[in-house]
């Protein structure tokens, strides 16, 4: 069985969510049937959106540090639950000898398998404005829609003012505003 290396900490809740999903979706009758996973929850990785859009600190050195650590620990391949960090994917993979599976490519392939030709993207400004999803989706023939300017502000607030601060209780999240954005994109 292959060992997965997770470049995590962007944010910690996304890392936990990914690990939980892998554990939940693994067909296992005992501990030994589960997938060997090594997680580096590196919270020292600078903000990716700030780096992409505002000249913030370059996250690549810390991303590479995590990738190399996971490789040296025995990971056969890497994954990252942070969509925005995939903007730096090539800079990471050129410094390690194991592959980094793209969340973007995997998402596009899963959508195509389901026959989806148009998808909405709710993500950080860095993910949206960098075009990391748009480029891959266009190549695969999937139309991509994103919120309007006001809707994008709500999504950024949801990510930065709630999720990244560990506020996950649905009663405390801007659910009505988010639903309205989703409805508008569906229409």
């Amino acid at each position: 069985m292959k060992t997965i290396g997770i470049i995590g900490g962007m944010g910690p809740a996304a890392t936990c969510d990914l690990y939980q999903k892998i554990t939940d979706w693994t067909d296992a009758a005992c501990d030994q049937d589960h997938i060997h996973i090594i997680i580096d929850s590196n919270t020292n990785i600078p903000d990716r959106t700030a780096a992409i859009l505002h000249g913030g600190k370059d996250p690549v050195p810390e991303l590479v540090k995590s990738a190399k650590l996971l490789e040296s620990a025995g990971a056969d391949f890497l994954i990252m639950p942070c969509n925005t960090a995939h903007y730096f994917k090539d800079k990471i993979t050129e410094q390690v000898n194991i592959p980094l599976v793209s969340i973007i490519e995997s998402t596009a392939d899963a959508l195509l398998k389901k026959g989806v030709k148009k998808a909405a993207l709710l993500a950080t400004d860095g993910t949206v404005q960098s075009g990391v999803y748009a480029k891959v989706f266009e190549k695969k023939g999937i139309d991509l829609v994103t919120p309007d300017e006001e809707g994008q502000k709500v999504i950024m607030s949801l990510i930065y003012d709630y999720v990244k601060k560990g506020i996950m209780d649905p009663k405390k999240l801007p659910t009505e505003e988010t639903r309205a954005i989703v409805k508008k994109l569906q229409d």
Side-chain angles (χ1 to χ4, degrees):
M1 189 179 302
K2 300 272 186 191
T3 298
I4 301 171
I6 299 177
I7 301 174
M10 306 171 283
T15 305
C16 289
D17 182 59
L18 174 62
Y19 180 69
Q20 186 68 54
K21 285 176 178 161
I22 294 169
T23 302
D24 290 347
W25 295 345
T26 299
D27 185 19
C30 63
D31 293 344
Q32 294 74 26
D33 290 343
H34 282 274
I35 300 166
H36 184 206
I37 299 172
I38 306 166
I39 300 170
D40 183 24
S41 185
N42 183 353
T43 55
N44 291 323
I45 298 169
D47 186 271
R48 284 70 54 209
T49 292
I52 294 167
L53 300 179
H54 309 296
K57 189 172 179 186
D58 184 5
V60 172
E62 286 293 330
L63 288 165
V64 169
K65 180 179 174 182
S66 288
K68 286 182 175 183
L69 176 69
L70 293 163
E71 180 180 37
S72 70
D76 293 299
F77 63 95
L78 303 168
I79 58 177
M80 289 189 297
C82 176
N83 288 282
T84 312
H86 280 75
Y87 177 82
F88 306 100
K89 180 182 179 287
D90 292 343
K91 290 181 179 181
I92 299 166
T93 57
E94 66 190 22
Q95 299 208 33
V96 292
N97 297 307
I98 56 176
L100 171 56
V101 177
S102 169
I103 194 172
I104 300 165
E105 292 277 346
S106 298
T107 299
D109 291 343
L111 291 173
L112 287 173
K113 278 185 183 176
K114 292 183 180 247
V116 174
K117 296 290 182 191
K118 189 173 200 175
L121 177 63
L122 303 178
T124 66
D125 289 347
T127 299
V128 173
Q129 292 180 34
S130 70
V132 292
Y133 267 84
K135 291 170 193 163
V136 171
F137 279 42
E138 184 179 335
K139 284 181 192 171
K140 295 189 180 256
I142 302 171
D143 289 329
L144 190 66
V145 294
T146 56
D148 61 21
E149 188 175 329
E150 285 306 308
Q152 184 60 30
K153 285 179 185 175
V154 172
I155 298 303
M156 277 296 287
S157 174
L158 174 66
I159 295 167
Y160 278 84
D161 298 332
Y162 295 88
V163 176
K164 287 190 178 285
K165 291 180 180 178
I167 302 169
M168 305 298 281
D169 181 350
K171 294 175 192 159
K172 296 179 181 178
L173 298 174
T175 52
E176 291 305 314
E177 296 94 330
T178 305
R179 282 190 187 114
I181 293 164
V182 170
K183 175 71 173 121
K184 195 172 185 180
L185 292 169
Q186 285 175 323
D187 290 345

